[in-house]
Amino acid sequence: MEKRTLGRTGRDVGVVGLGAWQLGADWGEVDESDALAVLNSAVEGGVTFIDTADVYGDGRSERLVGKVLKEHLELTVATKMGRRVEQIPSNYNLDAFRAWNDRSRENLGVDTIDLVQLHCPPTEVYSTDAVFDALDTLVQERRVAAYGVSVETCAEALTAIARPNVASVQIILNAFRLKPLDEVLPAAQRAGVGIIARVPLASGLLSGKYDENTTFGPDDHRNYNRKGEAFDVGETFSGVDFGTGLEAVKRLIPIVPEGATMAQFALRWILEQPGVSVVIPGARNPDQVRGNLGAAALAALTEGQLKAVQTVYDELIRPQIHNRW
Ligand SMILES: NC(=O)c1ccc[n+]([C@@H]2O[C@H](COP(=O)([O-])OP(=O)(O)OC[C@H]3O[C@@H](n4cnc5c(N)ncnc54)[C@H](OP(=O)(O)O)[C@@H]3O)[C@@H](O)[C@H]2O)c1
């Protein structure tokens, strides 16, 4: 698989990674053997970058990733911290970071975490020097090799990129979320900051497999967070109203390259955006993992395909999304 350098971490990672939120909670039941099968099929298929968080299943995802990491020290594992407490800026301090880091290191079974990301903290946190001093301290103490941020908005991303030691920015980027192309990706490229593209399939919408009759279980955020009841609504279907998303997908189906799935096409589109380091589709079973890995081998998209994505975005998605995130 093609490898790219993940910003200031200096690490080279395969362009298709794995998002491990599904292995924690919030996506319906994924039992332990299925979760380990997802992780093992990813590693066997050439994935070298896995994204998790301390809050996914309250540590379950990290512990499962830790099991696989023990056997595959070549992996780069990124976790996130900060969403197990009330979301107020004063909760982001060195003592808290050390305690959260101790727990994540134990869950992952490592002394030094490859990359820790602030997990969509309150916006003021990005402008607080003491927060970044504390993150520098974690690096000095070798608790983490590098740190980055996972952001909700482009404005937050730009503030973080201006910080000298932010190694990477994780942001929603997909065919329904084009705003990062305007300023964030160019700024990250200029600064040498890595871009981790999350929610690449718009929570599954861009796989093309849902229709008007699709329902999601009570323990699935695509049911309980449709209006942002539990966390930022942008994390569920990328913030796109489900019906609008279905309509947009219908318009994209005819431009999917022959022999490719819609999911592969959607992931390939992301990989072709200059500045992207790695894309992290989430998966609930090994077939999804293997399908997503196929995106790395797809031929470059044509001008016509790229233009069609832009047109569908401009006509259907932009009014709901562009000014919000
Ligand atoms: N705030 C944050 O920092 C934050 C927020 C969100 C996500 N993330 C990270 O980003 C990762 C990816 O985002 P995401 O998981 O939210 O959304 P996503 O990757 O856009 O969508 C994942 C869903 O797409 C479907 N899918 C995946 N591969 C498929 C395939 N090959 N064919 C058909 N369907 C497929 C599955 O849906 P079904 O379940 O319906 O099968 C899967 O649960 C997460 O796992 C997490 O690591 C971080």
Side-chain angles (χ1 to χ4, degrees), residues 189-228:
Q189 255 190 315
R190 282 193 301 275
V193 170
I195 290 287
I196 301 168
R198 78 166 183 268
V199 194
L201 299 174
S203 313
L205 259 179
L206 283 164
S207 71
K209 68 182 177 185
Y210 309 140
D211 64 24
E212 293 73 7
N213 300 317
T214 304
T215 55
F216 299 92
D219 53 352
D220 190 318
H221 72 100
R222 294 168 294 183
N223 177 341
Y224 68 74
N225 196 50
R226 283 242 179 146
K227 294 195 163 39

Side-chain angles (χ1 to χ4, degrees), residues 1-7 9 11-19 46-51 76 78 115 117 168-171 173 185 193-200 267 270-281 293:
M1 190 190 324
E2 180 197 350
K3 288 197 168 174
R4 296 182 189 171
T5 303
L6 180 56
T9 69
R11 286 167 170 265
D12 289 338
V13 298
V15 288
V16 177
L18 176 73
V47 163
T48 62
F49 180 80
I50 300 178
D51 175 75
T76 295
L115 177 67
Q117 306 156 97
S168 60
V169 168
Q170 182 179 139
I171 191 163
L173 173 66
L185 266 56
V193 170
I195 290 287
I196 301 168
R198 78 166 183 268
V199 194
L267 298 175
I270 295 169
L271 291 176
E272 291 195 16
Q273 307 310 317
V276 169
S277 315
V278 59
V279 63
I280 51 165
L293 282 166

Side-chain angles (χ1 to χ4, degrees), residues 43-61:
V43 174
E44 281 156 23
V47 163
T48 62
F49 180 80
I50 300 178
D51 175 75
T52 181
D54 57 6
V55 74
Y56 295 163
D58 203 25
R60 180 183 193 238
S61 175

Side-chain angles (χ1 to χ4, degrees), residues 210-212 244-255 262:
Y210 309 140
D211 64 24
E212 293 73 7
T244 308
L246 292 178
E247 202 184 329
V249 164
K250 268 188 205 144
R251 285 183 50 182
L252 292 175
I253 287 169
I255 59 161
M262 174 121 204

Side-chain angles (χ1 to χ4, degrees), residues 28-43:
E29 170 68 9
V30 178
D31 70 27
E32 177 151 340
S33 70
D34 285 345
L36 288 171
V38 163
L39 289 163
N40 285 318
S41 63
V43 174

